[in-house]
């Protein structure tokens, strides 16, 4: 029962808000939404405790969904260590962000803002469905559900063209992933005769490795779409058009991480098809580097963090790909805390300027006006950069360590990514909070309802790293820290921070001049290696152009013309015949006689 | 002898027939038609169908021709002379087909006609005479058809009167 | 001599004489009365049909009666009756209230009725010509109407071509078989083939098949509309009964199939295309009837009883639908200035919803939409063609039907979906016309849902 | 009980007669809705009483009708037919409620719809070819007039195109029917139009081929499959809203129903032999038509093209010779019926308020008529196969089933998921979002826009509930079709 | 005895001439006369057949044809007169009000 409440409470919250939101008002809706999240968190903590203490997964069948020929798909909930803990983390972060959003969205109250909370609740429900479903189809339900929620939330300010476009892009690209995902499910069904996770885990050893690899890659396709990995990545930066809590919740802490969770969830499948893991690692590694490079050239407050998210997710995939499932999941957890924190802090800055400021170079020296935000951001940034002893250090270090264990090349790549991470996040921090005052409007510190969640998250961001050992222990995958790598990582992080400090605080190099001299490189990074242009201008516009062309030239002028021309042809023949019918009786006779003559010929040719 | 008469009558009939088709003046056409009908009646006589031949002369050559003459006077035939009496183009186009029809008939002949004579009318005719025999058939077997003929003639008469009468004589 | 076998014909004949004398002795005012009596006569004949015991022959085998031709007689009596009932108002409005009308129609029916019963080409010829000449007269019966005379003349000339070819065919038949009775004759003989050919041509002309069709639209356009409803139906029913007989003696020749199918195909496609260019509703019906002649001829390509049954059913229901259509048109035409130009039909639904709906019902029946009875006919012919392995013809039939839908729909569009510019006084159907329309509409629907009413008679 | 099905079929026709006699607007509307409700309840009752373990047709009634031609009044349902009957009665109920506010000739409007209702119910329950064809063609006339009378600018063109095109298809169907009946006659010496009789015959391959294509043309036009689809966009664009609803939700299903009921069980070998033709056409329908859809600026035309695209998936599933795919295809018919109906209602509502279907004239409507935006979104999500709504289950089952025998085809067909999301959301964006791009004039005008009214609410809520029910608990609906699939595929 | 072929040839030639006349003649009355010729031509064939078959039915038929031709001519001429009365026209190219 408790386990059902975990997933139902956000749903109930959603329903209440959806049906009565208009009556009960925005604040009440927000509170219901928070209650839903909180309740869910409480119960999930309880369940996690149960699961962890008893070491027995809890499996609940809900109802029969769909009968197939030899199998009945039924929905159920499955709590094991992985899902229980992830659920707890997700509900925890979500609840905090819900609370934060009350402050953030406050100035929009009265303008149907209850919708926002409905969407958030819906999102949480769908997310929990992903986490807790006991079969792949259930996961897919949640998968699409979070996609929808993300679509709605990105497009929350749908009056603007930017948000509308971003939401469209997000959903469509996600659908590409979902397309692969659903065939992954179908493939699994034919491999295992079932799509229940437990059946799959049982059967992985008995099936053909190559076929399993195909299934794994199809599933991974879904993960790629959801996590904004290459090549389905362009939606993620654009998704920052949504309100900041959304960015924090969906596009940093939870939803995008669902891809990682999925791979971890069905890890046995991947594990038994090692070739597929290489693809995972490759995609993750390249995305990590790609996104980190792109992040260095961005100037949008949230986009930098978005690219950072992409990069960190890439790192997690890299970890999954080289076999460190637990490392990836742990990084997912810590990342949820500090990235949410970063977003909330960034949101705090944006909120301070009445939602008008989006570029980091529009503001400056904010530490004077927003000391708490500054602190929070710094904590988040340090955690992200992986500075000892913040949580980022522990999780990232574990990944880098594992990577070096497997492949030196990937290890170097991970190190470079760390360096870049430290650089870009501190570039943002220093530009915004130090330096000259570039903003014209007056900035102010955010109110308590926004600060408290940040503080809580900051505490988690600082402290959660120390649970690394405990976390690994839960999964039985304890890993010693390599001191040399740890030291190296910290040094790399500090170097990155140092560079940022030297450039943006000390002004050692004039940034504008640097950009000028590295213009090509800078543009390349800023344009995400022109992938966005490629997708938008060539693929999307090309598709539209091509469609319009075919519609105008083929559908209208050919297929439909054929149909219409039959009518014209009939009329034309009719006119001709009409012309033959002169009205002279002699002509009538003549025609009849002609007929007789021709028929006589037929008669003679045919014989008796 | 029979052949000679047949040939003479038939060639005259055909000649008159050509006249019917070719002559421009309607009055001459009537004369040609009359001549053709008389020649055909001659063929009938030659073939021993005296009754039909006689009726042909009576009904056709006299009654119907008078009809035509009557109508031609009602419809001033001089008017017709002011115009071309034939459609030349149609004639030219259709002539090959007419010839074709003839050729085809000949072809049919080459293919062969097999008719098995089976009746005994000749004997009856020699016994009772042609008219009696026809009369016997007409009033036994074809009695109903004969009644229909009378009805046809009646209807034809009524129709001619109905349609041809002067319309302003009828009150509205 | 068993004269009961020709009881209905005798009744008709007595009726004709009765009306003839009534017309002579009564004043012009009796026109309606004459028509009324004239309408009753076929009904009396219809009733007399039930007293005939069949099958049997009489009058030196010149007249025979079986179930099939009784069915044909019944149908033509019904149609003659409703046509006669429907014609008085039209002719009065057209100021052509000839007292001769009812008995002329009856005379034609009498001829056709005998035609149904006769097996002898001489009888057939005379009865056919009796009906033809009567119809030539009826076509020209509109007073002071030049078009009516033009139509009559054209029909007469073309009809006389049919007469000439028919007698030529008969002559060949007689020459080759030595008899004028229609019976099986299997000796391959070129004269016999020619007789087949000329008889077919003559009948094709009468049923207005391409290329002998040219008179049809003109006559349909010019003749008095109730007369069109007569000449488009009753002679055709009878001629198809005759053709159904002939097909059994002629169809063993190789050329029959080819000839009939060529005529049928030419009729279907020529007429269906030609109808597209027409602006006069009457001419559209002319072409429609040519197209239907094509459909019917398809069923005569081979001697199959199922096919013939389907054909006869189709012809019967087609006739009812045609009578319905022309009666509606007659009722519309009575209005001042109405010309049957398609533009005159615009907005008909607004002015006369009842008429428009009925007309649409018949139009849809012609397109071949169930549950209207013409659909069953189409289905039967299709099945018969498939059964005879004539699938190409079946496909041609289907395609022609599709083409035909276009121009029927055009009329429906004009009636229902467009606004009329000219305003006419509302059309009022006379009592007789109402009867005719209702009977035919009922027949079209009822026979569509319960075709067994007719099918149970089609037993041989 | 025995005659319940017949009652459900002919009750609407009876009501239509009453409507014609009484000619009272209020009475008409009330009677129509009452009729639809009763029929819906009857079908629901049948649905609940349906025994899904029995392979045979249920609720059968059979009476001799035209013995000379072997025609009988034979009706009965299996799971598939019953589901479609449920859909039909439900959709008519929704359409009737939706049209409550119609002012132009309401009596005629409802009478025609009631006639259409009978025809649709009949098509799905007839077990006699003649009866089937009767209903199949019977739906032509009411629909023709619905488009012709209450359509928009080019209504005449669209109505004629619809009529002639469909007639074209159905005559080929008729020829196909004729050929199998004749074959049955030649083989058994007994002429019979009965479905069961023909089900028990097995045709030689040449006949199967012939009949398969003849039937196929008839059904393909109705579905419609590429390339005989061009009537559908025109018909939808011009039809009144309720007409579009019925056309999309019910009429299109007749084609696929025909495939499942007739083509597959009667011509099994031909269906296997020529499966690739169907597949190629289906894939073209899915992808090509999706491209056509995104190229539209007219909302209804877009939805019409999306219908074609979805029906392509249905045909794919139908011919995949896999029970799951077949179940999916049937389920998708229902799902698509619901979604397209809702979409057309939304489009129709927009037209009612703004008098334009063109996306260039629209934009930012979510701000002005938010309730519609919500329902529009739900309808769209159903259409694009969003899990939890009715569209997904069918799509999933089709892909799942097709994947077994034809993995590559299924995989390519799956791109329909992406493309449909793209065109629907692109349309939604242009209609509902981007308020900042519209002119101030419109902004002023649209401030006064009235959001959906009570009867709209009811219709939308009904459709949404149906969509959710089917999407979240499809179990009974799929289960009931299980025997059908086995029966159809000869298992 | 004259052979059937001879009758046939004469008959068909006259028949063809009659038809040809109907095609080429312009005047209404002459068209009708050509028709008479065609009808009468067939009589020859009947008589020939009679001779050949040794029967008399053909003669009966020939009588019918003669009577019919008379009736037809009567009606036809009546119509011609009516047309002339109404329009003052007497040639076929002038009675083409209905065409197409």
């Amino acid at each position: 029962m408790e386990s059902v409440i975990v997933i139902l409470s956000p749903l109930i919250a959603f329903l209440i808000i959806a049906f009565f939101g208009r009556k009960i008002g925005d604040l009440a809706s927000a509170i219901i939404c928070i209650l839903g999240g909180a309740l869910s968190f409480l119960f999930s903590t309880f369940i996690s405790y149960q699961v962890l203490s008893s070491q027995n997964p809890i499996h609940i069948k809900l109802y029969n969904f769909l009968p197939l020929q030899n199998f009945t798909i039924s929905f159920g909930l499955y709590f094991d260590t992985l899902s229980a803990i992830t659920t707890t983390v997700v509900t925890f972060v979500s609840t905090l962000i819900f609370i934060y959003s009350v402050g953030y969205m406050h100035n929009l109250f009265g303008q149907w803002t209850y919708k926002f909370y409905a969407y958030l609740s819906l999102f949480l429900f769908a997310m929990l469905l992903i986490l807790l479903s006991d079969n792949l189809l259930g996961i897919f339900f949640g998968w699409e559900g979070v996609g929808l929620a993300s679509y709605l939330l990105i497009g929350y300010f749908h009056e603007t063209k930017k948000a509308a476009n971003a939401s469209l892009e997000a959903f469509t690209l996600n659908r590409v992933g979902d397309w692969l995902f659903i065939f992954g499910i179908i493939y699994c069904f034919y491999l295992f005769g079932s799509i229940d996770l437990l059946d799959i885990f049982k059967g992985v050893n008995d099936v053909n490795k190559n076929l399993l690899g195909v299934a794994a890659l199809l599933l991974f396709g879904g993960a790629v779409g959801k996590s904004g990995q290459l090549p389905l990545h362009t939606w993620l930066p654009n998704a920052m058009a949504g309100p900041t809590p959304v960015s924090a919740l969906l596009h940093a802490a939870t939803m995008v991480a669902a891809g990682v969770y999925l791979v971890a969830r069905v890890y046995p499948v991947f594990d038994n098809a090692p070739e597929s893991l290489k693809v995972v690692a490759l995609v993750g590694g390249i995305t990590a580097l790609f996104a980190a490079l792109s992040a260095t050239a961005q100037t949008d407050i949230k986009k930098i963090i978005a690219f950072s998210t992409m990069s960190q997710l890439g790192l997690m995939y890299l970890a999954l790909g080289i076999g460190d499932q637990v490392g990836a999941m742990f990084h997912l957890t810590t990342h949820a805390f500090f990235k949410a924190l970063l977003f909330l802090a960034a949101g705090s800055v944006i909120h301070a300027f009445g939602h008008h400021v989006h570029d980091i170079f529009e503001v400056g020296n904010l530490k004077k006006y927003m000391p708490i935000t500054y602190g929070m951001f710094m904590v988040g940034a340090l955690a992200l950069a992986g500075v000892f002893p913040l949580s980022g250090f522990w999780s990232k270090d574990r990944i880098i360590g594992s990577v070096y264990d497997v492949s030196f090349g990937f290890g170097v790549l991970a190190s470079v990514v760390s360096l870049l991470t430290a650089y870009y996040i501190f570039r943002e921090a220093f530009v915004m909070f130090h330096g000259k005052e570039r903003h014209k409007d007056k900035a102010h510190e955010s109110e308590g309802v926004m600060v408290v969640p940040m503080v809580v998250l900051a505490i988690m961001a600082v402290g959660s790293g120390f649970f690394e050992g405990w976390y690994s222990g839960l999964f039985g995958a304890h890993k010693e820290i390599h001191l040399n790598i740890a030291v190296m990582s910290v040094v790399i992080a500090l170097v990155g921070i140092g560079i940022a400090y030297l450039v943006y605080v000390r002004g050692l190099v004039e940034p504008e001049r640097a950009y000028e001299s590295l213009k090509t490189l800078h543009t390349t990074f800023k344009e995400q290696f022109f992938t966005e242009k490629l997708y938008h201008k060539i693929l999307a516009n090309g598709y539209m152009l091509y469609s319009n062309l075919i519609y105008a030239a083929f559908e209208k002028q050919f297929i439909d013309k054929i149909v219409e021309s039959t009518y014209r042809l009939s009329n034309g023949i009719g006119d001709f015949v009409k012309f033959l019918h002169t009205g002279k009786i002699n002509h009538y006779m003549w025609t009849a006689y002609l007929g007789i003559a021709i028929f006589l010929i037929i008669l003679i040719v045919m014989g008796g | 002898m029979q052949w000679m008469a047949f040939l003479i009558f038939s060639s005259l009939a055909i000649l008159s027939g050509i006249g019917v088709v070719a002559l421009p003046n309607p009055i001459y056409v009537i004369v040609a038609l009359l001549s053709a009908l008389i020649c055909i009646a001659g063929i009938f006589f030659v073939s021993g169908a005296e009754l039909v031949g006689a009726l042909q002369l009576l009904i056709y050559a006299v009654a119907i021709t008078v009809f035509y003459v009557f109508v031609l006077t009602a419809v001033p035939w001089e008017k017709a002379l002011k115009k071309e009496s034939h459609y030349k183009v149609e004639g030219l186009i259709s002539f090959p087909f007419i010839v074709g029809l003839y050729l085809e008939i000949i072809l049919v002949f080459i293919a062969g006609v097999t008719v098995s004579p089976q009746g005994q009318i000749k004997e009856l005719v020699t016994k009772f005479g042609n008219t009696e025999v026809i009369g016997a058939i007409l009033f036994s077997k074809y009695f109903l058809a004969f009644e229909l003929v009378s009805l046809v003639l009646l209807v034809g008469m009524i129709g001619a009167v109905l349609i041809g009468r002067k319309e302003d004589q009828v009150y509205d | 001599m068993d004269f009961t076998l020709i009881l209905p014909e005798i009744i008709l004949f007595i009726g004709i004489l009765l009306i003839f004398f009534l017309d002579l002795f009564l004043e012009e005012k009796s026109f309606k009365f004459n028509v009324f009596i004239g309408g009753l006569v076929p009904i009396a004949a219809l009733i007399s049909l039930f007293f005939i015991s069949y099958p049997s022959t009489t009058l030196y085998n010149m007249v025979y009666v079986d179930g099939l031709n009784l069915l044909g007689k019944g149908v033509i009596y019904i149609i003659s009756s409703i046509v006669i009932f429907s014609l008085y108002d039209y002719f009065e409005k057209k100021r052509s209230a000839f007292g001769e009308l009812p008995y002329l129609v009856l005379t034609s029916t009498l001829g056709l009725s005998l035609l149904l019963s006769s097996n002898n080409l001489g009888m057939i010829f005379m009865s056919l010509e009796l009906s033809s000449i009567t119809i030539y007269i009826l076509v020209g019966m509109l007073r002071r109407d030049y078009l009516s005379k033009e139509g009559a003349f054209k029909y007469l000339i073309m009809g006389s071509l049919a007469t000439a070819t028919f007698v030529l065919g008969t002559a060949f038949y007689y020459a080759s078989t030595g008899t004028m009775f229609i019976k099986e004759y299997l000796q391959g003989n070129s004269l016999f083939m020619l007789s087949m050919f000329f008889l077919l041509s003559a009948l094709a002309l009468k049923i207005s098949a391409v290329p002998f069709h040219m008179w049809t639209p003109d006559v349909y356009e010019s003749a008095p509309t109730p007369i069109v409803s007569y000449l488009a139906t009753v002679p055709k029913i009878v001629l198809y009964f005759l053709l159904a007989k002939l097909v059994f003696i002629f169809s063993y020749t190789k050329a029959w199939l080819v000839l009939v199918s060529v005529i049928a195909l030419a009729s279907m496609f020529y007429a269906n295309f030609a109808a597209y260019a027409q602006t006069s509703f009457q001419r559209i019906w002319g072409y429609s009837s040519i197209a239907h002649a094509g459909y019917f001829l398809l069923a005569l390509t081979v001697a199959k009883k199922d096919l013939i049954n389907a054909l006869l059913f189709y012809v019967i229901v087609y006739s009812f639908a045609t009578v319905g259509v022309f009666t509606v048109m007659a009722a519309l035409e009575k209005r001042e200035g109405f010309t049957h130009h398609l533009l005159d039909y615009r907005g008909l639904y607004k002015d006369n919803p009842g008429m428009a709906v009925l007309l649409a019902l018949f139009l849809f029946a012609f397109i071949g939409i169930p549950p209207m009875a013409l659909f069953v006919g189409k289905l039967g012919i299709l099945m018969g063609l498939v059964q005879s392995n004539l699938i190409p013809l079946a496909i041609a039939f289907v395609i022609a039907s599709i083409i035909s839908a276009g121009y029927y729909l055009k009329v429906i569009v004009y009636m229902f979906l467009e606004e009329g510019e000219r305003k006419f006084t509302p059309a009022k159907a006379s009592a007789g016309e109402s009867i005719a329309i209702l009977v035919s509409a009922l027949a079209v629907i009822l026979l569509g849902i319960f075709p067994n009413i007719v099918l149970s008679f089609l037993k041989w | 009980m025995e005659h319940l099905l017949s009652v459900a079929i002919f009750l609407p026709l009876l009501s239509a007669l009453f409507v014609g006699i009484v000619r009272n607007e209020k009475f008409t509307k009330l009677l129509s809705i009452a009729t639809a409700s009763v029929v819906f309840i009857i079908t629901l009752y049948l649905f609940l009483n349906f025994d899904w373990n029995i392979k045979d047709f249920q609720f059968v009634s059979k009476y001799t009708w035209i013995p000379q031609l072997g025609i009988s009044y034979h009706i009965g349902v299996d799971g598939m037919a019953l589901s479609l009957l449920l859909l039909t009665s439900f959709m008519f109920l929704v359409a009737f409620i939706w049209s409550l506010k119609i002012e132009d000739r309401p009596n005629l409007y409802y009478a025609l719809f009631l006639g259409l209702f009978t025809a649709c119910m009949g098509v799905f329950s007839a077990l006699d070819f003649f009866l089937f064809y009767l209903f199949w063609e019977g739906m032509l006339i009411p629909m023709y007039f619905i488009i012709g009378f209450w359509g928009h600018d080019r209504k005449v063109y669209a109505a004629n195109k619809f009529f002639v095109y469909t007639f074209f298809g159905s005559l080929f169907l008729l020829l196909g029917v004729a050929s199998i009946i004749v074959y049955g006659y030649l083989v058994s010496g007994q002429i019979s139009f009965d479905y069961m009789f023909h089900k028990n015959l097995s045709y030689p391959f040449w006949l199967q081929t012939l009949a398969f294509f003849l039937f196929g043309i008839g059904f393909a036009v109705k579905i419609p499959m590429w390339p005989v689809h061009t009537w559908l966009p025109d018909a939808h664009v011009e039809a009144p809203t309720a007409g579009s609803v019925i056309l999309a939700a019910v009429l299109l299903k007749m084609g696929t129903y025909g495939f499942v009921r007739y083509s597959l069980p009667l011509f099994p070998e031909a269906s296997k032999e020529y499966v690739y033709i169907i597949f190629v056409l289906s894939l073209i329908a899915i992808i090509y038509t999706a491209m056509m859809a995104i190229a539209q600026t007219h909302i209804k035309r877009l939805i019409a093209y999306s219908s074609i695209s979805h029906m392509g998936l249905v045909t794919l599933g139908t011919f995949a010779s896999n029970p799951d795919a077949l179940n999916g295809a049937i389920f998708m018919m229902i799902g698509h019926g619901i979604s397209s109906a809702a979409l057309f209602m939304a489009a129709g509502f927009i037209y009612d308020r703004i008098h334009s279907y063109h996306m260039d004239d629209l934009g930012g409507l979510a701000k002005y008529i938010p309730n519609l935006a919500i329902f529009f979104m739900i309808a769209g999500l159903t259409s694009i196969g969003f899990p939890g709504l009715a569209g997904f289950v069918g799509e999933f089952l089709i892909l799942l089933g097709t994947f077994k025998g034809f993995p590559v085809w299924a995989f390519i067909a799956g791109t329909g998921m992406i493309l449909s999301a793209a065109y629907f959301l692109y349309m939604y964006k242009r209609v509902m979002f981007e308020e900042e791009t519209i002119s101030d004039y419109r902004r002023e005008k649209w401030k006064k826009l009235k959001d959906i009214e009570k009867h709209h609410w009811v219709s939308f809520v009904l459709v949404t509930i149906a969509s959710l029910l089917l999407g979240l608990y499809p179990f009974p609906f799929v289960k009931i079709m299980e025997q059908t699939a086995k029966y159809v595929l000869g298992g | 005895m004259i052979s059937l072929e001879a009758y046939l040839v004469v008959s068909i030639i006259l028949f063809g001439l009659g038809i040809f006349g109907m095609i080429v003649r312009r005047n209404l009355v002459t068209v009708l006369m050509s028709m008479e010729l065609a009808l009468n031509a067939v009589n020859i064939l009947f008589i020939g057949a009679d001779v050949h078959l040794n029967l008399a039915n053909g003669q009966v038929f020939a009588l019918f044809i003669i009577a019919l031709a008379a009736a037809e001519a009567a009606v036809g001429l009546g119509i011609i007169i009516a047309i002339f009365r109404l329009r003052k026209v007497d040639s076929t190219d002038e009675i083409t009000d209905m065409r197409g």
Side-chain angles (χ1 to χ4, degrees), chain C residues 121-424:
Chain C
L121 282 172
M123 269 297 288
I124 288 173
F125 174 69
M126 275 329 291
S127 38
L128 181 60
E129 288 311 317
L130 176 61
S131 129
S132 302
I133 288 188
T134 323
I135 290 174
Y136 305 150
I137 297 165
L138 284 170
V139 170
M141 283 279 260
L142 273 187
R143 181 172 293 164
R144 288 179 200 287
D145 187 273
Y146 162 72
L147 279 187
S148 155
K149 307 294 184 291
E150 181 184 326
F153 187 73
K154 283 177 175 171
Y155 192 18
L156 180 111
I157 295 294
M158 293 303 283
S160 65
L161 178 68
T163 311
T165 30
F166 191 88
V167 290
L168 195 61
T170 313
F172 280 122
Y173 188 89
Y174 176 58
S176 63
T177 63
T179 176
M180 293 216 191
F181 282 96
I182 297 172
K183 55 186 177 192
E184 305 254 335
Y185 182 80
L186 295 172
Q187 284 165 264
N189 180 328
S190 51
L191 281 184
F192 188 73
M193 262 175 56
L194 279 176
S195 86
M196 174 269 279
F197 169 73
F198 282 111
L199 286 176
L200 177 64
S201 304
L203 293 176
L205 201 152
K206 285 279 177 199
I207 60 170
S208 66
V210 171
F212 313 104
H213 63 284
M214 301 287 252
W215 57 274
T216 320
D218 290 359
V219 172
Y220 277 49
E221 187 180 350
S222 62
T225 312
I227 299 304
V228 181
S229 72
Y230 182 82
L231 74 88
T233 53
V234 180
K236 287 210 176 148
I237 297 174
V238 175
L239 287 171
Y240 286 112
F241 273 83
L242 174 61
L243 276 167
K245 261 180 260 172
L246 291 181
V247 71
F248 283 97
I249 38 173
F250 286 136
S251 62
Y252 75 92
T253 54
K254 276 184 228 151
W256 174 268
L257 172 64
V258 179
L259 279 179
V260 174
S261 34
V262 166
I263 296 176
L265 290 176
S267 304
M268 283 173 350
F269 286 103
Y270 175 94
N272 279 336
F273 281 124
Y276 272 89
Q278 301 305 320
T279 52
S280 158
F281 195 34
Q282 291 160 312
R283 290 188 84 82
I284 285 184
W285 283 110
Y287 283 109
S288 157
S289 81
I290 298 171
H292 275 85
Y295 304 158
F296 297 145
L297 281 175
L298 281 180
L300 293 165
T301 43
V302 284
K304 268 241 160 63
K305 280 189 178 164
D306 294 334
L307 206 48
I308 304 292
N309 277 344
L311 163 75
L312 296 181
F313 178 82
Y314 194 0
V315 174
I316 288 166
V317 292
Y318 163 82
S319 303
F320 278 110
T322 310
V323 168
V325 166
F326 279 104
T327 317
V328 172
M329 284 165 67
L332 294 175
E333 200 188 328
K334 290 185 302 189
R335 298 181 291 176
E336 202 61 41
F338 192 82
T339 61
H340 288 302
H341 193 280
L342 278 183
L343 294 180
D344 286 357
Y345 279 84
R346 288 215 270 190
L348 184 66
Y349 175 67
K350 277 251 167 77
D351 305 338
N352 284 301
M355 295 276 182
V357 166
L358 282 164
L359 199 48
L361 171 86
F362 294 124
L363 281 162
F364 280 122
F366 275 99
I367 296 174
I369 306 283
M372 271 70 95
L374 272 72
F375 162 72
V376 182
K378 271 191 180 163
L379 176 66
I381 288 186
L382 268 183
M383 278 167 57
L385 287 175
V386 173
Q387 195 183 337
S388 317
N389 264 329
L390 295 172
I391 289 169
L393 285 185
I395 288 172
F397 181 32
V398 162
I399 291 171
S401 295
I402 294 160
I403 297 170
S404 76
Y407 60 84
Y408 293 125
L409 273 186
K410 196 161 83 175
V411 184
I412 291 175
V413 167
Y414 275 115
M415 289 196 304
F416 285 86
L417 308 181
E418 295 200 355
E419 295 290 319
E421 283 151 20
R422 295 177 64 185
K423 282 285 169 226
F424 298 99

Side-chain angles (χ1 to χ4, degrees), chain A residues 63 161 165 190 555 560 564, chain D residues 157 161 288 400 429 472:
Chain A
Y63 69 98
K161 213 174 160 75
N165 284 335
Y190 285 117
E555 175 86 2
D560 217 19
E564 280 175 18
Chain D
Y157 170 80
K161 199 170 178 179
Y288 170 88
L400 182 85
K429 184 188 85 159
L472 290 175

